[in-house]
Amino acid sequence: MLQRTSGDAAYVRFSIACDRDYRQVDKQRETDFIPCMAWRQTAEFLCQHFQKGSAVIVTGRLEVNSWKTPDGEQRREMLVSVDAVYFGDSKPKEAQTPAHV
């Protein structure tokens, strides 16, 4: 869901589900969920053209955020800061242009 900062910058947090290439004997493939964050036009593009289960390709960089909770615990979060998104399934050529931040 698209959200806005107090300065009116659009952003969206989402996860990408990635199946692992291998499976253990007698088990299903494991899936990793990779947290991502997109800003401004990229966030708006994602919210307009993608929904849960859509195939998406993202480019970006890995970011580590750290903070203290109100009770003093140190927390860290690793996520992909998204620079561009692409349709991961078949779309018309004109829909293949990336959305950049």
Side-chain angles (χ1 to χ4, degrees):
M1 174 171 37
L2 188 69
Q3 298 181 17
R4 297 207 175 261
T5 65
S6 58
D8 203 36
Y11 71 95
V12 66
R13 294 178 65 101
F14 62 100
S15 294
I16 296 175
C18 297
D19 288 336
R20 294 189 180 183
D21 288 340
Y22 63 90
R23 66 179 80 190
Q24 295 178 353
V25 178
D26 297 330
K27 290 191 178 182
Q28 289 185 331
R29 281 192 180 158
E30 292 183 33
T31 303
D32 294 310
F33 293 90
I34 302 167
C36 300
M37 181 174 263
W39 290 90
R40 297 174 186 79
Q41 294 93 342
T42 304
E44 292 172 359
F45 182 83
L46 272 161
C47 290
Q48 289 173 5
H49 298 286
F50 294 90
Q51 60 188 10
K52 184 176 181 175
S54 296
V56 63
I57 299 167
V58 301
T59 61
R61 63 192 177 286
L62 198 55
E63 209 172 81
V64 179
N65 299 321
S66 54
W67 69 96
K68 277 193 177 181
T69 64
D71 40 325
E73 288 185 55
Q74 186 69 32
R75 301 283 181 165
R76 289 172 40 137
E77 171 189 52
M78 196 174 297
L79 57 80
V80 175
S81 180
V82 177
D83 291 329
V85 294
Y86 303 87
F87 292 103
D89 50 4
S90 298
K91 295 284 181 190
K93 276 281 190 203
E94 59 271 7
Q96 290 293 332
T97 50
H100 292 281
V101 173

